[in-house]
Amino acid sequence: MAENAVFVGNKPVMNYVLAVLTQFNSGATEVAIKARGKAISRAVDVAEIVRKRFLPDVDVKDIKISTEQVSGEQGTANVSAIEIVLYRK
Amino acid sequence: MAENAVFVGNKPVMNYVLAVLTQFNSGATEVAIKARGKAISRAVDVAEIVRKRFLPDVDVKDIKISTEQVSGEQGTANVSAIEIVLYRK
């Protein structure tokens, strides 16, 4: 099964909430919310808003944190990442 | 058993890393890293730095996200929170 994922960046929180809602409303049973660096806080906001305000039958299945290596102009840097998997009960 | 917790705020990441290391070195088998709002990203950094750079025998036991109500001058606001529990294997 193809994984449904939403990558959270610097846009307003509601953009990503809408993206998650759209995936669930298209029949997805699981949606992964992914983010790196400072966007991690926003990813948690997205997950909380989806399940508390819009889809009470959606809950957190799993949360993973990791470290990713990002190559930039000044060499390689380590950046933290999060993946929050939501599922429809 | 008293819970060992480190609350992550706006100070430099290494302050909190040191606090977690100190608790493990004092004999704690579990340390909970807690944060709210924008500090959530920093809490993930703290957990990743502790286990990847300093204590390879420490791993993530559990991660919880929640919504807390914070009362301020302009009424009550919802803020996301995270709790990352690290344990010594």
Side-chain angles (χ1 to χ4, degrees):
Chain A
M1 191 184 96
E3 185 183 300
N4 300 286
V6 172
F7 291 87
V8 175
N10 293 316
K11 293 178 189 168
V13 175
M14 280 303 167
N15 291 33
Y16 305 108
V17 170
L18 188 63
V20 174
L21 294 178
T22 302
Q23 297 206 357
F24 275 119
N25 289 336
S26 303
T29 53
E30 286 187 20
V31 177
I33 302 168
K34 300 180 180 189
R36 295 198 296 203
K38 289 188 192 301
I40 289 174
S41 310
R42 191 170 291 118
V44 175
D45 289 339
V46 171
E48 285 294 294
I49 291 170
V50 166
R51 68 195 189 104
K52 291 278 165 69
R53 204 186 301 175
F54 293 103
L55 298 176
D57 60 336
V58 162
D59 208 348
V60 175
K61 184 184 181 188
D62 192 30
I63 304 176
K64 290 197 192 90
I65 59 174
S66 58
T67 302
E68 297 184 1
Q69 297 217 322
V70 177
S71 301
E73 291 173 1
Q74 285 153 17
T76 307
N78 289 324
V79 62
S80 299
I82 198 168
E83 178 175 346
I84 303 169
V85 180
L86 298 181
Y87 76 107
R88 178 160 257 161
K89 284 182 273 193
Chain B
M1 191 182 98
E3 186 183 297
N4 300 285
V6 171
F7 292 87
V8 175
N10 293 316
K11 293 178 188 166
V13 175
M14 280 304 167
N15 291 32
Y16 304 108
V17 170
L18 188 63
V20 174
L21 294 178
T22 302
Q23 297 207 356
F24 275 120
N25 289 336
S26 303
T29 53
E30 287 186 19
V31 177
I33 301 168
K34 300 181 179 189
R36 294 198 297 202
K38 289 187 192 302
I40 288 175
S41 310
R42 191 171 291 119
V44 174
D45 288 340
V46 171
E48 285 294 294
I49 291 169
V50 166
R51 67 194 192 105
K52 292 278 165 68
R53 205 186 299 174
F54 292 103
L55 297 176
D57 61 337
V58 162
D59 208 349
V60 176
K61 182 183 182 188
D62 191 30
I63 304 176
K64 289 196 192 91
I65 59 173
S66 59
T67 303
E68 297 184 3
Q69 298 217 321
V70 178
S71 301
E73 292 173 1
Q74 287 153 18
T76 308
N78 289 323
V79 62
S80 299
I82 198 167
E83 178 176 347
I84 304 168
V85 180
L86 298 181
Y87 76 109
R88 178 160 256 163
K89 284 183 273 195

